[in-house]
Amino acid sequence: MRLFQLAVLAVVLCGALPMFGAQVDVSVSDPGGTPLKGTLVIVQDLQRQERELFRVLTDEHGKIPTHTLDPGLYRAIGTYPYGQWRNNVREFLVRDTPVTVKLQLPQGTGADSIDVAIGELKVTVLDA
């Protein structure tokens, strides 16, 4: 009888434990599948007002270190600042199984503009 009570208690306690997250792997490549080193990957938690969880650069294989995330909805943003690649955004759901997120950054055009602010500029009008 005592063993049965312990088994029931174990089942109840396991049911009361919070759900654990899953491992998330993010990789970045060009449209042809070539890994992109040095891409900035930003991961946001969409359940908490798009709160940023982390940002990291991809390695030579186009990957970031594996992270374990709680169950929920997230967004991965891949950006290559000051480079030839355009941003890509992907939303993904984490449950209790590993998640793989693949971002492909499309080729940018040479005419892409980059806004840069350096210092102050003072303008004086000399003649109307």
Side-chain angles (χ1 to χ4, degrees), residues 69-83:
L69 299 178
D70 291 331
L73 185 61
Y74 297 89
R75 175 182 295 141
I77 304 167
T79 183
Y80 204 90
Y82 313 113

Side-chain angles (χ1 to χ4, degrees), residues 56-95:
V56 64
L57 295 174
T58 56
D59 63 15
E60 61 274 357
H61 304 292
K63 297 179 182 257
I64 66 169
T66 299
H67 285 78
T68 300
L69 299 178
D70 291 331
L73 185 61
Y74 297 89
R75 175 182 295 141
I77 304 167
T79 183
Y80 204 90
Y82 313 113
Q84 61 188 11
W85 307 104
R86 302 181 80 170
N87 298 346
N88 192 348
V89 178
R90 170 117 343 130
E91 293 176 357
F92 60 96
L93 183 63
V94 173
R95 291 191 178 160

